[in-house]
Amino acid sequence: MGLEVSTEAVREATVDRKWFNFNRHLGVWPTLYDSMKTPVTVDVLEAGLILAVVMLAFCFLIILPGIRGRERIYCSIRVAVSLFLGACIILCNWGQYWETDQVHVTTQYKAFTNQTIEGTVGIRIGLRNVNITLKGDPENQIGERINYNERFWWSFPWHQGRIGFGPFAAEVSQEFREAQYKGLPYPILWVAEYFTFDGEGIRWGRNYRGAGFYTHIMEWTAFCCWIIANILFFMNPRLGAYMTMIMGGFMLVGNILWASIRNFNDLVIPFDNHEVGPVELEPHYGWCFWLNMVAGLISVLLGFAIFILDMVIPDTLATFFGVDVLKDYEEFYPETEDDAPGDAANGAASKAGSHVESASEAAHANKRASAVPQFRKRGFTIVQKRRPIAPPRVAKAPLPEPDEDDGMELYENASEARRLAGGNPVDVAEVSFQGE
């Protein structure tokens, strides 16, 4: 036997507990909330990248008071320029504004209805996807809030896929079919459909995907060059300047690739406006494209300026970058006339075995020891000094062999002459040799 409790009795029993009855239709059931679909108002990834750069800048500002003197100004300039270029590369790589446009339209709202709405349709094309927005004007029309923001990817993965909308088709085609099942408004489907065509000259999805693929490779390469340039500036400013110019070159190449691969037929999407008549949604270059170009030009010019300054005022530039000036110099002793390789080679034969020459060499060594060393800037390549050309070797005349018939020892005649002279010194040249 069941216990029957009426709804009215339940309401009367719980009328005093209004604090706990919010959104409970019958008073005893669990709280139920209707779904609240809100539009995307900000790009979370883009906002996160900007927040990361701001955090790095804030951390630098915290440690800035600990730097003394002019080094504080030098360090501030270096960090500010480096963070600006790095932020430009990251934002342009992941930004959604390489091409953008928006128009005010009067269009049918959804399928199975003939109601029309007034709104603004916008398109933002990035390297990896296309973002399509629809916002009512006013926002609340025909009994609901009209504010849509949908994104269609083509970069996960980057391959084109098969024709159609099946599981092996392009990703943008698969997401377009899912949007149809979801029942998105007609203006969004109308714009997204243009990126699914792949035939004849109507290949906007394929061409934008290819342009984004090659451009994003250039952006990642430029980001790697940015990291290497920051390291090299603490070691050798000239090498850092070279890498900065290379970084700017990759960014400019990215602009060239995007402009040349995107499509040879401009994307033009027609709409209707009851006030002005037919209107066209025609994307044009956005701030990501121009920011990437400006940052690339700044990098090239900045690297070239640092290269020129390193040639003109290397010591001042090294001080600006906090590089030890002395490590770029080497100690050497200037060569004198006595050190000429030709004189040493020519006099080598005549000085051998002489006490006078030995004393001269000792004096020269003392002179070198007491000489004041000089300094010069090291080069980037090691240049080997040429060795002096040795004088040609002259064949020595063979010594005369002793006569086998002459059994007298050498200088025997001179010894005999001294004996006959009774030990008095005589001129050996005047003594006639025996056997003459």
Side-chain angles (χ1 to χ4, degrees):
M1 184 175 180
L3 180 64
E4 297 182 0
V5 181
S6 65
T7 304
E8 295 297 332
V10 173
R11 288 182 181 274
E12 293 177 0
T14 58
V15 69
D16 295 333
R17 292 179 295 174
K18 295 181 179 180
W19 180 264
F20 301 98
N21 296 340
F22 176 73
N23 212 29
R24 295 186 181 183
H25 301 289
L26 298 179
V28 296
W29 307 113
T31 303
L32 300 177
Y33 296 96
D34 294 334
S35 61
M36 299 181 63
K37 297 181 180 180
T38 58
V40 178
T41 57
V42 66
D43 191 340
V44 179
L45 179 59
E46 185 176 332
L49 295 175
I50 296 175
L51 179 62
V53 176
V54 172
M55 291 176 61
L56 291 176
F58 180 74
C59 294
F60 170 74
L61 291 177
I62 293 177
I63 66 173
L64 187 60
I67 305 175
R68 300 180 179 179
R70 293 184 178 180
E71 182 63 23
R72 180 183 302 174
I73 301 177
Y74 298 158
C75 189
S76 300
I77 296 174
R78 296 199 308 265
V79 173
V81 175
S82 178
L83 285 179
F84 169 75
L85 295 178
C88 289
I89 296 174
I90 292 297
L91 289 178
C92 293
N93 191 3
W94 293 96
Q96 200 63 39
Y97 292 86
W98 279 81
E99 291 190 16
T100 180
D101 193 20
Q102 64 180 15
V103 291
H104 187 78
V105 301
T106 303
T107 178
Q108 184 180 355
Y109 182 43
K110 285 185 178 181
F112 309 109
T113 179
N114 57 359
Q115 294 177 325
T116 59
I117 60 171
E118 297 283 340
T120 301
V121 178
I123 182 174
R124 301 180 183 90
I125 302 176
L127 301 182
R128 296 167 175 81
N129 49 62
V130 55
N131 199 77
I132 306 171
T133 60
L134 172 63
K135 187 173 183 179
D137 186 21
E139 189 170 337
N140 294 317
Q141 299 182 45
I142 60 175
E144 63 177 283
R145 181 184 182 187
I146 302 174
N147 194 341
Y148 291 85
N149 191 322
E150 299 294 330
R151 179 170 294 182
F152 299 87
W153 296 82
W154 55 59
S155 61
F156 298 106
W158 284 96
H159 65 78
Q160 176 61 29
R162 301 178 183 176
I163 298 176
F165 305 94
F168 301 102
E171 184 178 7
V172 65
S173 299
Q174 297 182 38
E175 293 190 357
F176 172 75
R177 180 53 55 89
E178 293 178 3
Q180 288 180 319
Y181 288 143
K182 289 168 60 177
L184 292 182
Y186 268 156
I188 294 180
L189 297 177
W190 174 248
V191 176
E193 189 176 8
Y194 276 77
F195 295 90
T196 62
F197 300 145
D198 191 48
E200 300 298 333
I202 309 176
R203 297 177 181 268
W204 291 293
R206 176 189 292 268
N207 292 331
Y208 274 115
R209 178 190 57 82
F213 174 75
Y214 292 107
T215 304
H216 103 282
I217 290 178
M218 294 297 103
E219 294 299 316
W220 278 124
T221 309
F223 182 74
C224 296
C225 293
W226 175 74
I227 296 176
I228 298 174
N230 287 324
I231 298 174
L232 291 178
F233 274 127
F234 288 97
M235 302 169 58
N236 194 313
R238 181 176 294 188
L239 297 181
Y242 292 158
M243 191 57 61
T244 303
M245 288 189 286
I246 295 174
M247 175 187 70
F250 279 117
M251 297 176 71
L252 295 178
V253 170
N255 284 94
I256 296 173
L257 291 175
W258 176 267
S260 58
I261 302 177
R262 52 186 289 268
N263 203 58
F264 59 90
N265 291 329
D266 294 333
L267 177 60
V268 180
I269 305 175
F271 280 95
D272 186 33
N273 189 317
H274 74 281
E275 296 180 356
V276 298
V279 292
E280 294 178 346
L281 183 66
E282 185 175 2
H284 54 271
Y285 295 133
W287 63 262
C288 283
F289 180 87
W290 299 115
L291 178 63
N292 188 75
M293 179 180 291
V294 171
L297 291 174
I298 291 176
S299 300
V300 173
L301 296 177
L302 182 63
F304 184 74
I306 295 174
F307 168 72
I308 297 298
L309 293 176
D310 185 70
M311 297 182 63
V312 178
I313 47 174
D315 297 343
T316 305
L317 188 67
T319 303
F320 176 82
F321 284 101
V323 179
D324 186 10
V325 180
L326 296 179
K327 77 180 186 63
D328 293 333
Y329 288 85
E330 61 182 357
E331 181 180 346
F332 77 101
Y333 291 89
E335 296 183 354
T336 60
E337 296 181 357
D338 299 337
D339 298 333
D343 297 340
N346 296 332
S350 60
K351 293 180 180 180
S354 174
H355 295 287
V356 178
E357 287 121 8
S358 299
S360 176
E361 291 178 359
H364 180 65
N366 295 333
K367 182 178 179 181
R368 287 290 303 273
S370 60
V372 179
Q374 297 184 9
F375 297 91
R376 61 187 173 190
K377 193 173 181 63
R378 289 192 180 97
F380 290 98
T381 58
I382 300 175
V383 181
Q384 295 183 355
K385 295 182 178 180
R386 295 182 179 180
R387 295 182 179 180
I389 300 176
R393 295 183 179 181
V394 180
K396 297 181 179 180
L399 297 175
E401 297 181 358
D403 191 1
E404 295 180 358
D405 298 338
D406 189 3
M408 186 178 296
E409 297 180 1
L410 189 61
Y411 303 119
E412 186 176 351
N413 295 334
S415 301
E416 184 64 20
R418 288 195 188 92
R419 188 181 63 78
L420 295 176
N424 297 326
V426 295
D427 189 359
V428 180
E430 297 179 357
V431 180
S432 60
F433 292 97
Q434 296 180 6
E436 291 184 356

